[in-house]
Amino acid sequence: MTLELPQSVAAIPLLCHLHIDSNFFSGQIPPEYHTWQHLQYLALFGNELASNITPELENLSALHELYIGYYNTYSGSILPKIGNLSNLVRLDAAYCGLSSKIRAELGKL
């Protein structure tokens, strides 16, 4: 039995670090995950997430590290506005089924 990522953690307004890897959560990244203003580290790799990468991740302006690959199977591409996350220094989306070219906007990272 697989579960979806917990939405209840979105209610923790001062969350700075969320590491939920290798738990085989299914579904998609909840849109509620965009509410953290202080989140610096988000690791969701090693699950069974699918669908598109939720565009709300583009609002995580304090984010330094984002790990969304490995066993997740997204469709589409990395969102171009991820390039606007000026604090992002590490983006790992390896082995997750993204199939399009890397967008020029990511060059701003």
Side-chain angles (χ1 to χ4, degrees):
M1 179 174 125
T2 59
L3 300 172
E4 294 186 354
L5 285 168
Q7 294 180 10
S8 58
V9 295
I12 306 171
L14 299 177
L15 189 67
C16 293
H17 185 109
L18 181 61
H19 194 113
I20 305 177
D21 77 280
S22 304
N23 289 291
F24 298 101
F25 283 108
S26 64
Q28 62 184 17
I29 301 170
E32 292 83 2
Y33 278 27
H34 82 283
T35 60
W36 297 301
Q37 295 180 13
H38 305 285
L39 191 70
Q40 297 176 7
Y41 179 97
L42 178 60
L44 301 173
F45 61 89
N47 288 292
E48 294 176 346
L49 303 175
S51 188
N52 293 325
I53 298 172
T54 183
E56 287 83 4
L57 292 181
E58 301 166 347
N59 297 323
L60 298 174
S61 60
L63 203 59
H64 290 187
E65 298 181 52
L66 176 61
Y67 301 91
I68 55 174
Y70 300 98
Y71 301 108
N72 297 321
T73 53
Y74 305 112
S75 56
S77 65
I78 295 176
L79 305 166
K81 289 187 180 177
I82 293 286
N84 293 334
L85 297 176
S86 60
N87 291 314
L88 195 65
V89 294
R90 183 162 291 141
L91 171 63
D92 187 342
Y95 303 106
C96 65
L98 295 172
S99 59
S100 65
K101 295 180 180 180
I102 295 174
R103 308 284 298 260
E105 293 87 350
L106 294 178
K108 294 189 271 179
L109 293 175

